[in-house]
Amino acid sequence: MNSEHSRLYYSCIFLHVSFQAVLGTVESSSKGEDTPCWLDARLLEMLSGELQRCRGDAAPWPEVCQALDTATYHCGLLMAQCPAAVNRQLCRHHLEAIMVPLKEASKRLSNKAGPAASHRSAGQRLRGWLGW
């Protein structure tokens, strides 16, 4: 895994975990299902920006781009309705629709080590990952 590939993989993991944490916050709220969902718009903007950067970095991997396009689309829909213009059920739907393709992108990236990488020793792979 080269450094660009590794960075993209870990960025996708970071985004998935971040959106999962946001979903956890929404689900742990004691308010009713029909009440507006008050997400932190700045946090969503930051995560959306990182998601868009990842999408740009994924250009060499079309199947990863497709997954990130889907996540970006749903993130845009969520941001267009936040804060307070979406109920908790729809908010959860959008967050899950963001997380599923992020998980798929991470899975696809984890399988993209390449044929050359599988024939290198662990030390060679580590040195390559560290950029030595």
Side-chain angles (χ1 to χ4, degrees):
M1 202 182 279
N2 66 30
S3 63
E4 178 183 329
H5 182 252
S6 181
R7 183 177 50 242
L8 180 59
Y9 171 75
Y10 287 110
S11 293
C12 287
I13 297 291
F14 163 78
L15 285 166
H16 182 265
V17 170
S18 296
F19 280 108
Q20 198 170 32
V22 171
L23 178 61
T25 302
V26 169
E27 289 181 339
S28 68
S29 175
S30 61
K31 296 181 180 176
E33 279 298 305
D34 58 343
T35 59
C37 180
W38 287 91
L39 290 179
D40 181 353
R42 289 188 187 228
L43 174 63
L44 282 179
E45 284 178 25
M46 188 269 308
L47 292 174
S48 176
E50 182 65 13
L51 185 56
Q52 290 172 7
R53 185 196 60 75
C54 284
R55 169 51 183 92
D57 292 348
W61 302 281
E63 63 277 0
V64 175
C65 286
Q66 184 181 13
L68 293 176
D69 282 342
T70 302
T72 302
Y73 171 77
H74 283 282
C75 188
L77 287 176
L78 179 60
M79 287 183 60
Q81 299 172 17
C82 279
V86 62
N87 65 29
R88 293 180 186 289
Q89 182 179 4
L90 187 55
C91 183
R92 272 195 301 272
H93 167 76
H94 284 305
L95 289 169
E96 289 168 358
I98 295 166
M99 290 186 309
V100 168
L102 281 170
K103 188 173 185 177
E104 182 63 27
S106 299
K107 180 181 171 186
R108 290 177 179 175
L109 286 165
S110 71
N111 293 332
K112 296 287 180 198
S118 63
H119 292 83
R120 296 185 306 176
S121 72
Q124 289 171 323
R125 288 192 305 269
L126 178 60
R127 283 189 292 281
W129 184 74
L130 294 173
W132 296 348

